[in-house]
Amino acid sequence: MGEADAGTPSFEMTWSSTTSSGYCSQEDSDSELEQYFTARTSLVRRPRRDQDEPVEWETPDLSQAETEQKIKEYNGQVNSNLFMSLNKDGSYTGFIKVQLKLVRPVSVPSSKKPPTLQDARRGPGRGTAVRRRTSFYLPKDAVKHLHVLSRTRAREVIEALLRKFLVVDDPRKFALFERAERHGQVYLRKLSDDEQPLRLRLLAGPSEKALSFVLKENDSGEVNWDAFSMPELHNFLRILQREEEEHLRQILKKYSYCRQKIQEALHACPLG
């Protein structure tokens, strides 16, 4: 996120190994129309493939002494160098791991090649303001380690992840979830924008089964039209018109066929 203003939580990001490019290209066949998400991809509700269930975690407020003790216990259980550190002002820093489970392509500036992990580390440079977009799929189940402050919010984590990969989609299209495995069952809960992932990490301990973080599409049921760009909205209208025309054609074909069969039956009936 670069240097932060006074009073603004800042954090840096470190990266686990993954594919070299960080992106898989999606072939487009219809120029501008296919440059953006399709209405079918973005609007049609698909049945859930997982069995994740919502669950509430207890997040008690800790005193300074309790926080210090928790950090000592946490660091004693860590098998790597991803420790937490207590600051003089009472805040603390540490690492969280985020797994990306995105099923739709993301939009990046079309004037730029797909960013590599080296590009993501450097962050966006000058001249990134563009008018056209190209869609790419992020690597499936990519994992990113983030070094964050205790006061870093979930929304800031999402924005930083998108910025590092030069993703220009609205952050409101994405959501950060916490995931846990208990008694053979998987539980999932969507974090609110103001929740603090590192605090949740400290309370749960370092076990990934007890708690892990997942970035997914923000599918809340209703479509948030304000989160889409003007080209995407126009694209949706064109595709919806195509689908409407095709649906009407199928209906007319069905009733025309029924009418034909009824007329054939009438002509076959003997008079009298």
Side-chain angles (χ1 to χ4, degrees):
M1 292 184 62
E3 296 182 359
D5 296 332
T8 301
S10 64
F11 54 94
E12 57 182 341
M13 305 180 68
T14 56
W15 308 88
S16 63
S17 60
T18 180
T19 55
S20 59
S21 67
Y23 284 82
C24 299
S25 178
Q26 177 191 31
E27 295 295 333
D28 296 330
S29 58
D30 192 15
S31 62
E32 180 184 359
L33 184 62
E34 298 299 328
Q35 288 272 347
Y36 306 93
F37 302 122
T38 65
R40 186 176 299 278
T41 298
S42 299
L43 307 182
V44 174
R45 307 293 299 173
R46 293 184 175 86
R48 293 176 63 99
R49 295 183 179 180
D50 54 48
Q51 298 298 321
D52 293 348
E53 301 177 11
V55 66
E56 294 296 331
W57 272 264
E58 293 184 3
T59 55
D61 293 328
L62 301 178
S63 66
Q64 181 73 9
E66 290 173 330
T67 299
E68 185 175 357
Q69 180 61 32
K70 274 283 189 182
I71 291 176
K72 288 181 179 179
E73 294 174 358
Y74 182 95
N75 290 340
Q77 301 174 50
V78 172
N79 297 324
S80 62
N81 60 346
L82 305 180
F83 300 108
M84 291 195 186
S85 301
L86 184 64
N87 301 321
K88 293 181 179 180
D89 63 357
S91 65
Y92 49 95
T93 60
F95 293 86
I96 61 172
K97 184 171 75 172
V98 181
Q99 183 181 26
L100 280 66
K101 296 182 70 70
L102 302 176
V103 298
R104 303 184 193 127
V106 296
S107 297
V108 299
S110 61
S111 61
K112 292 184 174 292
K113 64 180 180 179
T116 64
L117 286 179
Q118 288 71 27
D119 295 330
R121 292 191 185 100
R122 288 193 296 266
R126 296 180 179 178
T128 56
V130 295
R131 296 180 180 179
R132 297 179 63 83
R133 302 179 180 185
T134 302
S135 295
F136 289 91
Y137 285 96
L138 283 167
K140 185 178 181 181
D141 293 336
V143 173
K144 302 292 175 279
H145 286 89
L146 291 76
H147 189 230
V148 300
L149 289 167
S150 56
R151 58 177 175 267
T152 300
R153 300 175 301 154
R155 179 52 50 186
E156 293 176 287
V157 170
I158 295 172
E159 292 171 352
L161 282 169
L162 300 181
R163 186 161 52 249
K164 289 293 183 178
F165 277 106
L166 305 182
V167 176
V168 294
D169 293 312
D170 194 305
R172 290 176 294 177
K173 293 182 181 179
F174 307 91
L176 192 64
F177 291 80
E178 57 181 4
R179 184 179 186 273
E181 298 179 26
R182 297 180 181 177
H183 309 296
Q185 297 291 323
V186 175
Y187 300 92
L188 196 71
R189 184 178 76 89
K190 178 181 173 182
L191 299 185
S192 66
D193 288 349
D194 293 327
E195 288 192 73
Q196 300 162 336
L198 188 62
R199 180 170 177 269
L200 299 174
R201 176 81 280 165
L202 177 63
L203 292 172
S207 171
E208 290 295 319
K209 288 189 175 181
L211 178 68
S212 60
F213 296 103
V214 182
L215 182 70
K216 302 175 69 174
E217 281 87 2
N218 188 13
D219 292 330
S220 57
E222 293 295 327
V223 178
N224 183 12
W225 296 112
D226 293 334
F228 293 94
S229 65
M230 288 294 291
E232 287 175 323
L233 293 173
H234 285 300
N235 185 38
F236 290 152
L237 288 177
R238 289 195 294 268
I239 294 177
L240 287 175
Q241 182 177 356
R242 287 183 181 180
E243 293 182 354
E244 180 184 9
E245 292 172 352
E246 176 62 20
H247 189 58
L248 289 174
R249 189 184 70 81
Q250 293 291 340
I251 292 176
L252 292 174
K253 181 179 179 180
K254 174 183 176 181
Y255 282 93
S256 177
Y257 176 80
C258 291
R259 187 181 298 107
Q260 178 184 347
K261 290 300 181 182
I262 293 174
Q263 290 175 345
E264 290 176 356
L266 286 173
H267 289 311
C269 291
L271 296 177

